[in-house]
Amino acid sequence: MSDALDVSLRLVRAQTALVKRFDATLSGLHGVSLADFTMLLRLRQAPGDRMRRVDLAEALGLTASGVTRGLAPLERIGLVTRETDARDGRVAYAALTDTGRARLTDMLASAEQIAAEVFTAPLWSKEDVGRLSTLLTRLGGTGLSGQGTPPP
Amino acid sequence: MSDALDVSLRLVRAQTALVKRFDATLSGLHGVSLADFTMLLRLRQAPGDRMRRVDLAEALGLTASGVTRGLAPLERIGLVTRETDARDGRVAYAALTDTGRARLTDMLASAEQIAAEVFTAPLWSKEDVGRLSTLLTRLGGTGLSGQGTPPP
DNA sequence: AATGAATCCTTGACTGCTCAAGCATGATGC
DNA sequence: GCATCATGCTTGAGCAGTCAAGGATTCATT
């Protein structure tokens, strides 16, 4: 087996393990999944803590229906609200509530903690993390640090 | 957001994109998913092309029930058979059939092709792939390459 | 031997995503 | 003004995995 295929399969394995770890802690402490957390975090990074749902889908690499299904429970428990656009009747926004912002702050602390544990010394140096980030960025995953899609 | 958390989320994104790419091609050409392919490949690497189902689960990072559900369609289309253990009535083996072996050879060629495209020059050097592999291995994903490419 | 614990596997119920179809709404061209 | 197309979103059906429970078999202790 080539190195390229090997590393592909390795990546798949590594991710599922990582997701399990985040899910376990986040759901235990805050009752949300990593996917939930990622949605909330992405909203937090948008101006006004709100995004059109279709843009949220794009930013997260999901389909529109994935966003509908993913946001539903977050709306139900009051972390996110739906807002309409006065100019365009088609669009709906997803917006963080005050509660959502507050809860997200706690989740973020937990997530940082987990990430710090996973990428901890002595196995991981700061440079290693940077290298991994660089390499992963080449793989087309947009990541979340950016500001989203630039204006057309 | 810390680098550690950023790289975690980046890893998640990169993997889903990669899986989609493999799934698209493998299902188009061979009618199997990446998960199917990974199962078959793992069997191929076991002595006699067969494994206890529980060991297969362990090797793939799945639960036993995940293996039951994943193998079912592969048994149905004749790529895998179930074998019993004469000494221990509890265990069942999953074994590659001749058809399975043959089909897997084709799938492997396709998968190698995709991996080669993804990790292609000029964006990726051989060293980059090696570095990424090393870093991912630290993340706990066991990987699949028992007999990976030896160093030159 | 007999009981109790452990192991292997399957099944039912659930989650979280996908695709395909459908419904509003808005934009465009005649 | 109006047909047609594009866009934003939701919904039904399905798929791949999980966990919890249960059945069958084996192992260990007495």
Side-chain angles (χ1 to χ4, degrees), chain B residues 8-36:
Chain B
S8 300
L9 299 178
R10 223 176 270 275
L11 178 59
V12 173
R13 273 298 295 269
Q15 190 253 19
T16 65
L18 196 60
V19 169
K20 266 174 201 158
R21 184 151 178 185
F22 275 93
D23 271 341
T25 302
L26 286 177
S27 99
L29 294 181
H30 308 285
V32 299
S33 69
L34 175 59
D36 295 333

Side-chain angles (χ1 to χ4, degrees), chain A residues 1-2 5-6 9, chain B residues 22 26 30 32 37 40-41 44-45 100-115 147:
Chain A
M1 166 159 54
S2 74
L5 180 54
D6 177 63
L9 300 178
Chain B
F22 275 93
L26 286 177
H30 308 285
V32 299
F37 167 70
L40 296 172
L41 185 58
R44 184 66 164 124
Q45 295 173 338
R101 252 185 302 277
R103 297 274 306 275
L104 177 56
T105 302
D106 300 339
M107 295 175 203
L108 190 50
S110 297
E112 292 282 12
Q113 172 88 27
I114 305 164
Q147 69 258 17

Side-chain angles (χ1 to χ4, degrees), chain A residues 66-77:
Chain A
V67 165
T68 297
R69 303 214 134 99
L71 284 181
L74 300 179
E75 293 169 355
R76 198 161 36 71
I77 63 178

Side-chain angles (χ1 to χ4, degrees), chain B:
Chain B
M1 166 156 59
S2 76
D3 286 350
L5 180 53
D6 179 64
V7 78
S8 300
L9 299 178
R10 223 176 270 275
L11 178 59
V12 173
R13 273 298 295 269
Q15 190 253 19
T16 65
L18 196 60
V19 169
K20 266 174 201 158
R21 184 151 178 185
F22 275 93
D23 271 341
T25 302
L26 286 177
S27 99
L29 294 181
H30 308 285
V32 299
S33 69
L34 175 59
D36 295 333
F37 167 70
T38 308
M39 280 193 172
L40 296 172
L41 185 58
R42 191 60 192 78
L43 282 179
R44 184 66 164 124
Q45 295 173 338
D49 293 0
R50 65 204 285 273
M51 292 180 79
R52 301 190 334 177
R53 300 164 84 90
V54 68
D55 293 337
L56 183 57
E58 160 70 23
L60 296 174
L62 298 180
T63 62
S65 85
V67 166
T68 296
R69 301 214 136 98
L71 285 181
L74 300 180
E75 293 169 356
R76 198 162 37 71
I77 64 178
L79 305 187
V80 169
T81 38
R82 162 185 307 264
E83 298 179 355
T84 61
D85 187 323
R87 306 194 183 172
D88 190 334
R90 291 169 300 182
V91 327
Y93 288 84
L96 230 45
T97 63
D98 290 343
T99 313
R101 252 185 302 277
R103 297 274 306 275
L104 177 56
T105 302
D106 300 339
M107 295 175 203
L108 190 50
S110 297
E112 292 282 12
Q113 172 88 27
I114 305 164
E117 282 169 17
V118 171
F119 294 101
T120 190
L123 209 52
W124 291 89
S125 72
K126 222 167 161 39
E127 290 73 33
D128 288 335
V129 175
R131 260 192 289 277
L132 180 55
S133 181
T134 303
L135 293 170
L136 288 176
T137 304
R138 286 189 212 162
L139 239 32
T142 308
L144 277 176
S145 66
Q147 69 258 17
T149 322

Side-chain angles (χ1 to χ4, degrees), chain A residues 51-65:
Chain A
M51 291 179 80
R52 301 191 332 178
R53 301 165 82 92
V54 68
D55 293 338
L56 183 55
E58 160 71 23
L60 296 174
L62 299 180
T63 62
S65 85

